[in-house]
């Protein structure tokens, strides 16, 4: 127990001696200073202290606090070791007046407060002008919520710049981005020529109220001719400047405005039709691209483009494309929406108008960007040529026997040496033979039909239907969407017994929901911009079931009651 008490006493004594051995002091390199001029605050602690013992955060109320550098030094004289730590912080006043840098507490030791006098820029300007300064400007002092504010910064350089960096202005709850490239030119200000670097920013406030835009901070080095250079190396001097702040008022959305909030000075709607705009054909896709353009906003502020179409057309929209570009120090946002339109029937097609509301920041009124109503003339679907379907010689129909023409030509070529009655006798025998052959053919057909019992599971197909199905099934087996789309309308037209019917007309006659969904999946894979891989399995199964049942005409005949029912 006595040992523990002794240890505690020794520790407390050593701590007190250590605190007494630490000496701290604070100083500034210049006083007074100008409003936008930087100065260095130095805090020195003699003794062994933690490098993180210095905290400058409470200085941000009156000053722009720059970077802080820390350096440590150890000296040994006659075996007596001394240590010191120095913190150097760059400070820039925000306003003119008298300000007090409070005392710093470094591990129990405190510095003395420092009073700093901040004077206006003109109060200490020399006859030759200042070497470096910054000016700021805004294009409007009042702006609506989410309206672009153009903020311009000009860096005036009276000396050669060796290096430097310029930060962005700061404003809470705002989107700040640089627009355009830096401009560089020369200008005479108060009788002195300056090299000016101009930079523009777009500020879009996200909350209404009165705010202060804090000016940007410049940190760099300029060549100092007053200092002696060494060889090829010029002596430079570190400089820090801050731009003056700007006050703005952000107005809220008007209370009577109930549309999508889009504040801008100009908004426009355009559309573009792909292909020949004079000839639209039923069943063939039409691509329409609508573009919404607005200045002074970003792409996230643009609304969706709501366009309506009649029920007689099918639509396949693509994913919208948005972008924001810069032109003449102004943001320009665009939204593009493309849609594939497939009319199902010929005639007059009316496309309703499109209206996008927006708030004009110049007139302070609600306006509308409008695409006028359009009337399109849809031409009938083109008929596929029958010669495009080859017929195999093995399944061609049996030729009809027409011997009359050859007999007549043979009779005309007879000479006068043949008796006339032989000619008439030969013609009579040939005519009887033809009649006998026709009666025999009819008799055989009746016997075949009577010998077979009706079976609904066996479907008879015409020769042209077999060719169409063969081409369609080949495309389905290969998962070829293009060929499937080519042969599907032809086979469906044969299925409903209307070779001139379009795909939409055939689907309407068949009236099968599963078939329509499968065809829509095929068309979507063909006309959507972000195309997905199409699988033909579902459509092929549906078509095989339809073909097994037979065409609509055959199904109708099977469903009819017999004309002469068996008794």
């Amino acid at each position: 127990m006595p040992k523990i008490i002794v240890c505690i006493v020794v520790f407390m004594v050593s701590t007190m001696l250590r605190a007494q051995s630490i000496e701290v002091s604070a100083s500034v390199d210049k006083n007074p200073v100008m409003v936008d001029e930087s100065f260095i605050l130095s805090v020195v602690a003699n003794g062994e202290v933690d490098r993180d013992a210095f905290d400058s955060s409470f200085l941000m109320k009156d000053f722009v606090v720059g970077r802080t550098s820390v350096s440590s030094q150890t000296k040994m004289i006659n075996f007596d070791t001394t240590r010191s730590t120095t913190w150097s912080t760059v400070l820039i006043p925000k306003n003119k007046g008298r300000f007090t840098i409070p005392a710093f507490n470094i591990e129990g030791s405190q510095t003395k407060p420092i009073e700093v006098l901040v004077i206006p820029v003109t109060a200490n300007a020399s006859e030759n002008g200042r070497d470096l300064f910054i000016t700021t400007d805004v294009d409007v002092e009042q702006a609506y919520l989410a309206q672009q504010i153009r903020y311009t910064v000009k860096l005036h350089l009276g000396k050669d710049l060796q290096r430097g960096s310029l930060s962005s202005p700061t404003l809470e709850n705002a989107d700040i981005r640089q627009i355009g490239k830096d401009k560089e030119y020369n200008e005479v200000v108060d009788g002195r020529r300056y090299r000016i670097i101009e930079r523009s920013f777009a500020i879009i406030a996200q909350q209404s109220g009165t705010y202060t835009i804090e000016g940007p901070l410049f940190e760099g080095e300029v060549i100092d001719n007053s200092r002696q250079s060494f060889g090829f190396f010029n002596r430079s001097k570190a400089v820090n400047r801050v731009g003056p702040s700007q006050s703005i008022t952000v107005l809220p959305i008007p209370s009577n405005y109930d549309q999508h909030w889009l504040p801008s000075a100009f908004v426009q709607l355009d559309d573009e039709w792909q292909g020949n705009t004079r000839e639209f054909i039923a069943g063939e896709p039409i691509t329409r691209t609508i573009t919404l353009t607005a200045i002074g906003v970003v792409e996230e502020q643009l609304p969706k483009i709501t366009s309506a179409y009649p029920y007689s057309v099918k639509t396949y929209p693509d994913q919208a494309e948005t972008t924001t570009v810069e032109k003449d120090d102004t943001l320009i946002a665009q939204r593009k929406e493309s849609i594939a339109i497939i009319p199902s029937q010929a005639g007059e097609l009316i496309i309703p108008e499109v209206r996008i509301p927006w708030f004009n920041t110049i007139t302070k009124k609600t306006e509308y960007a409008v695409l006028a109503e359009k009337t399109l003339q849809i031409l009938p679907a083109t008929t596929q040529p029958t010669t495009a379907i080859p017929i195999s010689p093995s399944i061609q129909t049996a030729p009809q026997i027409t011997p009359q023409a050859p007999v007549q030509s043979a009779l005309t070529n007879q000479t006068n040496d043949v008796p006339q009655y032989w000619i008439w006798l030969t013609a009579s025998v040939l005519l009887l033979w033809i009649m006998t052959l026709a009666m025999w053919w009819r008799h055989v057909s009746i016997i075949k039909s009577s010998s077979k019992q009706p079976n609904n599971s066996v479907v008879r197909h015409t020769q042209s239907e077999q060719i169409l199905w063969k081409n369609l099934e080949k495309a389905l087996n290969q998962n070829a969407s293009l060929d499937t789309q080519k042969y599907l309308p032809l086979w469906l037209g044969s299925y409903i017994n209307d070779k001139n019917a379009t795909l939409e007309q055939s689907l309407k006659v068949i009236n099968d929901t599963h078939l329509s969904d499968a065809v829509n999946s095929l068309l979507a894979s063909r006309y959507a911009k972000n195309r997905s891989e199409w699988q033909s399995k579902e459509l092929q199964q549906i078509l095989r079931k339809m073909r097994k049942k037979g065409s609509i005409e055959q199904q109708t005949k099977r469903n009819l009651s017999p004309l002469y029912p068996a008794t």
Side-chain angles (χ1 to χ4, degrees):
M1 192 69 182
K3 291 183 179 180
I4 296 176
I5 296 175
V6 171
C7 292
I8 294 174
V9 172
V10 171
F11 176 77
M12 293 176 64
V13 171
S14 62
T15 303
M16 294 175 62
L17 292 175
R18 183 186 176 194
Q20 291 178 357
S21 63
I22 296 176
E23 297 179 358
V24 293
S25 61
S27 62
V28 293
D29 65 339
K30 62 180 70 173
N31 194 3
V33 295
M34 288 182 288
V35 174
D36 65 343
E37 187 179 15
S38 66
F39 65 97
I40 299 176
L41 169 66
S42 299
V43 178
V44 181
N46 294 319
E48 188 175 355
V49 296
D50 189 359
R51 292 172 64 91
D52 298 329
F54 175 77
D55 183 15
S56 62
S57 59
F58 58 87
L59 296 174
M60 294 182 179
K61 179 181 178 182
D62 300 321
F63 302 93
V64 176
V65 180
R67 65 185 63 181
T68 299
S69 59
V70 185
S71 62
S72 298
Q73 187 176 12
T74 302
K75 294 181 181 180
M76 181 179 291
I77 301 175
N78 297 328
F79 301 101
D80 185 13
T81 303
T82 58
R83 294 180 176 87
S84 63
T85 303
T86 302
W87 293 272
S88 298
T89 302
V90 177
L91 300 177
I92 302 176
K94 292 183 178 180
N95 298 296
K96 63 181 179 178
R98 292 183 180 273
F99 300 93
T100 300
I101 299 177
F104 292 93
N105 190 328
I106 306 295
E107 295 189 359
S109 298
Q110 289 188 343
T111 64
K112 294 181 180 181
I114 302 174
E115 189 177 84
V116 178
L117 175 62
V118 181
I119 59 177
V121 173
T122 57
N124 197 31
S126 62
E127 296 180 357
N128 296 328
R130 307 178 64 198
D131 292 335
L132 186 148
F133 64 94
I134 298 175
T135 60
T136 60
D137 182 53
V138 290
D139 61 340
V140 292
E141 295 181 354
Q142 282 189 347
Y144 281 93
L145 184 69
Q147 177 186 347
Q148 175 188 309
I149 302 171
R150 186 164 60 246
Y151 183 94
T152 305
V153 180
K154 292 183 180 180
L155 174 64
H156 296 69
L157 297 170
K159 288 188 175 182
D160 292 335
L161 180 66
Q162 186 165 340
R163 67 170 185 85
S165 63
L166 183 67
S167 66
S168 301
T170 56
L171 177 63
E172 294 183 0
N173 299 320
D175 179 11
I176 302 177
R177 63 179 70 185
Q178 182 180 347
I179 52 177
K181 297 181 179 179
D182 291 348
K183 300 176 183 178
E184 189 171 341
Y185 53 91
N186 295 323
E187 190 175 287
V188 177
V189 180
D190 295 333
R192 182 174 178 178
R193 181 176 294 275
Y194 287 91
R195 174 190 168 199
I196 298 178
I197 299 176
E198 181 179 325
R199 182 175 294 178
S200 297
F201 295 88
I203 301 178
I204 300 177
Q206 306 295 337
Q207 189 172 349
S208 59
T210 301
Y211 301 98
T212 298
I213 304 175
E214 301 293 343
L217 175 64
F218 173 78
E219 297 178 306
E221 292 183 0
V222 295
I223 297 176
D224 189 3
N225 295 325
S226 62
R227 299 186 180 186
Q228 184 179 1
S229 60
F230 298 92
F232 297 100
F233 300 97
N234 293 323
R235 295 296 298 270
S236 60
K237 180 177 67 174
V239 291
N240 296 274
R241 295 289 186 273
V242 65
S245 58
Q246 297 286 343
S247 297
I248 60 167
T249 300
V250 181
L251 303 175
I253 300 175
S255 58
N256 58 349
Y257 191 87
D258 57 355
Q259 306 286 348
H260 178 88
W261 181 245
L262 183 62
S264 177
F266 176 79
V267 177
Q268 181 173 321
L269 267 177
D270 299 289
D271 65 345
E272 181 181 355
W273 299 81
Q274 186 180 9
N276 189 353
T277 57
R278 295 183 180 180
E279 293 184 1
F280 297 115
I281 301 174
E284 295 187 4
I286 308 168
T287 301
R288 184 191 191 189
T289 302
I290 303 178
T291 304
L292 174 63
T293 305
I295 67 173
V297 295
V298 293
E299 57 195 85
E300 292 81 6
Q301 297 176 248
L302 298 179
K304 293 182 179 179
I305 304 173
T306 304
S307 53
Y309 297 91
Y311 292 105
S312 60
V313 301
K314 288 188 176 295
T315 57
Y316 301 92
D318 290 332
Q319 187 175 0
E321 297 180 0
T322 58
T323 183
T324 302
V325 297
E326 304 164 4
K327 186 176 182 181
D328 299 333
D329 294 337
T330 301
L331 296 175
I332 301 177
Q334 277 193 341
R335 180 183 181 91
K336 289 186 177 181
E337 295 187 7
S338 296
I339 185 169
I341 306 170
I342 303 180
S344 61
Q345 56 189 11
E348 190 177 81
L349 177 61
I350 298 177
I351 306 296
E353 71 172 9
V354 181
R355 295 170 65 88
I356 300 293
W358 60 285
F359 185 80
N360 193 323
T361 56
I362 298 177
T363 63
K364 295 179 173 52
K365 294 181 180 179
T366 303
E367 298 186 10
Y368 292 87
V370 180
L371 277 179
E373 179 184 277
K374 288 182 173 59
T375 302
L376 307 180
Q377 297 297 330
I378 308 300
L379 301 179
T382 55
T383 304
Q384 296 291 336
T386 55
T387 56
I389 306 174
I391 299 178
S392 176
S394 59
I395 59 174
Q396 290 182 357
T397 57
Q400 297 181 358
I401 302 174
T402 55
Q404 289 85 350
V407 173
Q408 185 177 1
S409 61
L411 291 175
T412 56
N413 292 331
Q414 297 294 329
T415 61
N416 294 330
D417 298 336
V418 181
Q420 190 70 20
Y421 67 90
W422 281 109
I423 298 176
W424 292 106
L425 181 62
T426 303
S428 300
V429 172
L430 183 58
L431 182 60
L432 290 174
W433 179 78
I434 292 174
M435 293 174 62
T436 304
L437 182 62
M439 293 178 65
W440 174 82
W441 183 274
R442 183 173 179 275
H443 178 69
V444 170
S445 300
I446 293 173
I447 293 175
K448 288 184 177 181
S449 60
S450 61
S451 63
K452 292 184 178 180
Q453 297 296 329
N455 188 0
N456 292 336
S457 62
V458 179
V459 180
R460 300 177 183 177
H461 302 291
T462 62
Q463 297 161 351
S464 59
E465 187 275 342
Q466 291 177 353
I467 298 298
L468 293 175
W469 174 255
K470 181 179 179 181
N471 294 332
L472 177 58
E473 191 168 37
K474 180 181 179 181
L476 291 169
N477 291 332
Q478 296 177 353
N479 215 56
S481 59
L482 179 61
D483 291 340
T484 301
Q485 185 183 355
K486 175 181 177 182
Y487 294 115
L488 180 60
L490 300 177
W491 184 83
L492 289 179
S494 174
Y495 182 82
I496 66 172
N497 198 23
D498 185 359
K499 295 182 179 180
N500 296 327
T502 63
L503 178 60
E504 294 292 335
Q505 292 171 344
S506 299
L507 293 176
K508 187 175 181 181
V509 172
I510 297 172
N511 193 19
D512 188 327
T513 305
H514 298 291
L515 176 62
S516 299
D517 293 341
V519 173
N520 287 339
S521 299
L522 167 66
L523 297 178
S525 68
R526 293 278 300 131
Y527 300 119
K529 189 168 185 180
N530 299 324
R531 299 177 183 175
S532 59
E533 185 178 356
W534 175 68
Q535 299 296 331
S536 62
K537 183 177 180 180
E538 180 182 1
L539 179 61
Q540 190 172 19
Q541 291 177 350
I542 295 173
L543 295 178
R544 283 178 176 176
K545 290 180 180 179
M546 292 171 50
R547 190 168 187 265
K548 187 176 181 181
K549 292 180 180 179
S551 65
I552 291 181
E553 182 180 3
Q554 292 171 346
Q555 295 179 40
T556 304
K557 289 181 179 179
R558 288 199 299 270
N559 294 332
L560 291 175
S561 58
L563 185 60
Y564 302 103
T567 57

